[in-house]
Amino acid sequence: MNYSCSRYELKCNECGKLFGNQPLSACPDCLAPLEITYDLEAVRGIFTREAIAAGPANIWRYAALLPIPDGFQPDLPVGFTPLVRAKNLGKRIGANNLYIKNDAVCFPTLSFKDRVVSVALANAQKFGFTTVGCSSTGNLANSVAAQAARLGLKATILVPADLEPAKILNTLVYGARLVRIDGNYDHVNRLCTLIADEYNWGFVNVNLRPYYAEGSKTVGYEIAEQLGWQLPDNVVVPMAGGSLIRKIRKAFKELVYLGLVEDKPVRFFGAQATGCSPITTAVKQGTEDIVPQRPNTIARSLAIGNPADGPAAAKMIRGEGGWAEDVSDVEIVAGIQELAETEGIFTETAGGVTTSVTARLYAQGRITPDQITVSCITGNGLKTTDALANSYLHVDARAIRPRLADFDAYLRELDGTTESELATAGA
Ligand SMILES: *Cc1c(COP(=O)(O)O)cnc(C)c1O
């Protein structure tokens, strides 16, 4: 496969000025975020359903529309996660055509951040950085640490001090240098901007952010391909910085433009925790003005109080006829349990947010039962087990003796069932 055929460069969202390719995330003139623009006509002949199907079963099958430097040979099988029909969850919440995009099992570090990091680090190498890093709410830290280790790059990673222990461990194990900051993500991110300049390091979500963000498009490409090259009616997406939700839309638009899918209206629904809901608040109030918040939620991976792409995300959601909702910490835990109990998928707190918001959108009638709806599960529950610490206390309570009578008694106690019910169940 030829990985060096895309022609791309940085472009300012506001003034349209082009900046070639360099580690730069904002327009020096108008301070708006930079995005990657492609010569779509140049890839029309090579970005086809057939060529993609002949590619590897990972995100690199879409390399022609990713910002990959000439000569880059990707070797990590990132992405191409399952899209599963959620019949059981659907039955519970009144959905007939609900799908789960399951990035809880993304390779290599079990969140969708593996997609963005692999694209960012390809460019970090091209730009000559030997040390890379990020400001992270957890999953990004894990992915940068793992992928930097594989590429032989040094990694320095900054996180808020109150991160889940599993996400700390999942960073340190790869040999990364981890710095806990006494502050929230927004403090961490500001500091990283200064460090990137001072030390000349490649921070994937700071000076490499436009390249990083493009990796999220692969979620959109995969959804369309896995639905048999059609677009869904609705997509429910968790929001932290507000990047992923916009990039799924960008992917759909590119597929329509190049004729891989038929055009149709797709509505985007954003999901946040009430304890950090700057984007959903803006959407509900009908504004693009984001009022920064001080995060206070168990959904730490979504705890960005001043989201970089918040204004653009809020504008897009409303503009396409979508909506945004936020749920409490109690609902987040219930969402984690509901997805696990119905579909056998154990997601982290962010997935609890998405699942609960999805259920609410059906309950509100904003999504109707027969529409094709994809709920994006972006991270793995094994990283946030502390969120469930109070949910299964009886397991720790005591062990029973290895006797059938003890087991019988224990089961009755556990289920609160009667003798006759037990007999029926055993029959
Ligand atoms: C980072 C993250 C998100 C949100 O991504 P943005 O592009 O910043 O909005 C969603 N879910 C999980 C699990 C994440 O780690």
Side-chain angles (χ1 to χ4, degrees), residues 330-353:
V330 171
E331 291 170 292
I332 292 169
V333 171
I336 292 173
Q337 293 171 317
E338 187 155 57
L339 185 63
E341 290 172 11
T342 55
E343 301 298 335
I345 293 170
F346 186 18
T347 185
E348 69 150 82
T349 45
V353 169

Side-chain angles (χ1 to χ4, degrees), residues 81-211:
T81 56
L83 181 77
V84 294
R85 186 84 185 265
K87 280 195 177 163
N88 301 330
L89 177 61
K91 205 170 280 174
R92 263 210 212 173
I93 67 175
N96 300 330
N97 273 314
L98 178 62
Y99 293 82
I100 304 293
K101 179 60 173 163
N102 187 12
D103 269 11
V105 294
C106 200
F107 182 83
T109 67
L110 307 178
S111 87
F112 100 92
K113 291 296 199 302
D114 290 325
R115 303 169 182 276
V116 289
V117 170
S118 55
V119 175
L121 292 189
N123 287 279
Q125 286 185 301
K126 162 85 185 311
F127 295 137
F129 291 113
T130 53
T131 296
V132 296
C134 62
S135 57
S136 174
T137 56
N139 285 312
L140 187 58
N142 300 169
S143 193
V144 168
Q147 297 194 47
R150 186 119 194 291
L151 294 169
L153 297 166
K154 289 198 275 288
T156 302
I157 288 160
L158 286 81
V159 297
D162 70 348
L163 215 57
E164 298 94 338
K167 284 182 179 160
I168 301 271
L169 185 68
N170 269 293
T171 304
L172 292 172
V173 72
Y174 302 108
R177 183 157 54 180
L178 180 75
V179 185
R180 290 167 66 227
I181 303 294
D182 184 14
N184 61 40
Y185 175 84
D186 299 290
H187 299 121
V188 176
N189 193 256
R190 267 197 296 280
L191 176 60
C192 283
T193 309
L194 303 174
I195 296 171
D197 285 344
E198 176 82 13
Y199 288 80
N200 192 33
W201 290 346
F203 274 62
V204 299
N205 58 338
V206 179
N207 47 350
L208 297 170
R209 187 171 177 87
Y211 300 92

Side-chain angles (χ1 to χ4, degrees), residues 239 268 270 277-290 310 313-315 317-318 322-325:
M239 303 184 293
F268 290 86
S277 50
I279 310 179
T280 60
T281 302
V283 169
K284 289 175 181 178
Q285 293 176 351
T287 169
E288 310 159 21
D289 294 331
I290 301 290
K315 181 178 178 185
I317 290 168
R318 289 287 296 240
W323 187 246
E325 278 293 340

Side-chain angles (χ1 to χ4, degrees), residues 47 52 59-66 80 218 221-222 225:
F47 199 78
I52 290 165
I59 62 169
W60 307 118
R61 69 207 272 109
Y62 311 110
L65 277 183
L66 293 173
F80 219 68
T218 57
Y221 297 144
E222 289 176 21
E225 184 177 359

